Amino acid sequence: MPYHIYKWKGVNKQGVKVAGSTVASSDPLFSFSLSVREISVSHINKRPLYPFERYKLNTDTATVNHFLFQLASLLQAGVPIRDALITQHNSTANLGLQTSLLTLMATLDQGNSVHCGLKESALNLEPLALCLVEIGESTGNIVQSLFLAHHYRQGKDELSKTIKRATYYPAIVFITMIVSCYLLLIFVIPKFEALFATFDADLPIFTQSVLSISHWLIDKGLWFITSIVSSGLLLKWMTANFDTARHYCDVLALKIPILGRLIQNTAVIRFTRSLSITTQAGINILVGLHLSLPLLGNSRLEREVQLPIAKVEQGWTLYQSFQSISWMSADALQMIKVGEESGQLSAMLKHLYQYQESQLSAQVDVLTKLIEPSLIIALTLTVGSLVIAMYLPIFNLMSILG
């Protein structure tokens, strides 16, 4: 959809001269945005939104979450939905959110639903969040649905932050180690080699090995790096376009020591939370299962859940169906069984994913405490070994002269 930037000057309803810029996808939408703010325009300068300016329309996750929470709060306070959207439009400085709110208001003015407006906007809400809003509108309880959508997205973001917290520092240390070794082997060690040539003596085997690695990197390092980057891009393309390649990579990911377990636990939490929220919103359990399935984010785990979903369609209980899932623990199955029998399935699923989140957070903390010193030791040993390899011939020469 092509967007334009409208720079305008005009007068507001108090008679004060004002100026500003608005991003809109059409002239009617731009005119609508000014009418919402009750501004009479005297001058307009319109130009296309250049490709490098598209980032201005990006709406970060925190902004979208705040929008959902604020909209639900305003509606709960009895504010009409159009007034609530106008209030948020006039109070936000995010161009992406402003544009999405204009689209939403224009859709509502045409007699369409909030669900349709959110779907057409650039907020990129997940199918589950859109389904919650749709169910809320049909049942007359849109406030609860918006709060649930906010709760779902916020929990998803917090889970993502937990995982990132465990990977950022180790990744930085690992990259530092690789870059340091590469720079030493390419720029520093060749200078020592020129010095060793004046010794007229055999070099230690360890030093010769390091020099061989340095020669190989100088001759073929660029080709090696290019091959790795190309292979990574090719793998990414294949997993995005071929289900077989994606499934194979997902299976391998789950087999990675420690990390595979972390990936599986994260996927299970996303699935359980989604199922709990959809059940609480009154969505049919089958619909909830189908909406929650993609949130596993791993084709191997998804395939394992497809058979239990088929059993639920045949009339089996959730407890009976989930018994065939390898990653569903006995405690989780028991909680689901109790929830179904007592009619409190949503509450039991909520307790289940909250417990799983606390366990994951503890696992991440332990993992971080173990990985950080290990990587520091690895960095010290790697760089230290290169330094020792370079000074070893000098020590040997000094002992001979001594």
Side-chain angles (χ1 to χ4, degrees):
M1 182 184 296
Y3 285 92
H4 293 82
I5 291 183
Y6 299 81
K7 293 187 177 181
W8 49 267
K9 295 180 181 178
V11 180
N12 62 16
K13 63 180 181 180
Q14 286 83 22
V16 180
K17 292 183 178 181
V18 291
S21 60
T22 302
V23 178
S25 57
S26 64
D27 292 344
L29 198 59
F30 166 67
S31 300
F32 177 76
S33 70
L34 294 180
S35 66
V36 165
R37 288 179 280 183
E38 300 182 359
I39 295 175
S40 299
V41 178
S42 58
H43 175 75
I44 301 174
N45 182 18
K46 173 185 173 182
R47 68 168 178 82
L49 187 69
Y50 301 128
F52 63 85
E53 295 179 308
R54 297 284 297 186
Y55 75 92
K56 294 180 179 180
L57 296 179
N58 293 341
T59 308
D60 59 276
T61 303
T63 301
V64 177
N65 292 346
H66 179 69
F67 155 70
L68 291 173
F69 180 78
Q70 190 175 18
L71 179 59
S73 300
L74 290 171
L75 294 179
Q76 190 177 45
V79 179
I81 187 168
R82 197 176 189 280
D83 293 342
L85 293 174
I86 291 174
T87 299
Q88 289 185 279
H89 177 273
N90 295 338
S91 63
T92 183
N94 187 289
L95 286 178
L97 182 58
Q98 287 181 359
T99 305
S100 297
L101 289 174
L102 286 176
T103 303
L104 178 56
M105 284 187 283
T107 304
L108 292 177
D109 285 353
Q110 293 171 4
N112 295 316
S113 63
V114 178
H115 161 259
C116 292
L118 290 173
K119 190 174 182 179
E120 292 179 8
S121 70
L123 295 178
N124 297 320
L125 290 178
E126 302 85 346
L128 190 146
L130 292 173
C131 185
L132 288 171
V133 175
E134 185 177 17
I135 294 295
E137 285 186 291
S138 63
T139 59
N141 199 3
I142 190 172
V143 173
Q144 182 190 8
S145 295
L146 287 170
F147 276 127
L148 287 174
H150 167 263
H151 175 66
Y152 158 71
R153 287 178 56 88
Q154 191 174 42
K156 179 182 173 183
D157 294 341
E158 289 175 356
L159 182 62
S160 177
K161 289 177 182 178
T162 300
I163 301 302
K164 289 179 180 178
R165 189 178 74 242
T167 56
Y168 273 168
Y169 182 76
I172 292 172
V173 174
F174 181 75
I175 292 173
T176 302
M177 180 174 65
I178 296 298
V179 172
S180 300
C181 292
Y182 183 79
L183 293 177
L184 285 172
L185 289 167
I186 294 296
F187 298 106
V188 179
I189 289 179
K191 297 184 181 297
F192 277 88
E193 185 178 13
L195 175 64
F196 297 155
T198 63
F199 286 0
D200 193 24
D202 293 335
L203 297 176
I205 296 177
F206 184 40
T207 304
Q208 293 180 24
S209 301
V210 172
L211 290 175
S212 299
I213 295 174
S214 176
H215 293 158
W216 186 86
L217 283 176
I218 292 173
D219 295 337
K220 301 180 179 180
L222 184 60
W223 174 87
F224 178 68
I225 294 174
T226 304
S227 299
I228 292 178
V229 174
S230 301
S231 300
L233 293 175
L234 178 61
L235 183 62
K236 183 178 180 180
W237 177 81
M238 290 180 65
T239 54
N241 293 276
F242 299 99
D243 291 338
T244 304
R246 176 173 174 258
H247 179 71
Y248 182 73
C249 290
D250 286 344
V251 171
L252 288 180
L254 293 176
K255 293 182 178 180
I256 300 175
I258 302 176
L259 185 60
R261 188 70 177 175
L262 199 63
I263 293 172
Q264 177 175 301
N265 292 344
T266 305
V268 172
I269 292 172
R270 286 198 300 261
F271 177 80
T272 310
R273 179 194 289 112
S274 171
L275 197 57
S276 171
I277 291 174
T278 54
T279 306
Q280 184 179 351
I283 297 175
N284 181 276
I285 188 66
L286 273 175
V287 177
L289 285 170
H290 284 291
L291 287 171
S292 304
L293 184 62
L295 298 179
L296 284 168
N298 186 285
S299 61
R300 183 216 176 268
L301 299 178
E302 290 173 10
R303 291 185 182 185
E304 196 171 354
V305 178
Q306 286 173 352
L307 179 59
I309 292 178
K311 290 181 179 179
V312 173
E313 291 174 346
Q314 295 170 7
W316 291 38
T317 65
L318 205 61
Y319 165 73
Q320 293 171 333
S321 304
F322 279 9
Q323 284 182 323
S324 61
I325 300 178
S326 61
W327 43 264
M328 189 65 67
S329 65
D331 291 339
L333 287 172
Q334 190 62 33
M335 291 178 72
I336 291 173
K337 182 180 180 181
V338 171
E340 286 187 304
E341 293 176 350
S342 62
Q344 299 293 324
L345 180 60
S346 175
M348 295 305 292
L349 288 172
K350 183 177 181 180
H351 292 316
L352 177 58
Y353 81 72
Q354 287 177 342
Y355 170 74
Q356 291 171 335
E357 282 181 336
S358 64
Q359 291 292 100
L360 179 65
S361 181
Q363 291 174 2
V364 168
D365 290 339
V366 173
L367 185 62
T368 303
K369 291 177 182 178
L370 291 175
I371 289 179
E372 288 180 4
S374 302
L375 285 174
I376 294 296
I377 293 173
L379 174 62
T380 304
L381 291 176
T382 304
V383 176
S385 298
L386 294 177
V387 173
I388 292 173
M390 292 303 98
Y391 280 94
L392 196 58
I394 298 177
F395 295 152
N396 289 347
L397 180 64
M398 292 177 62
S399 63
I400 293 174
L401 293 177

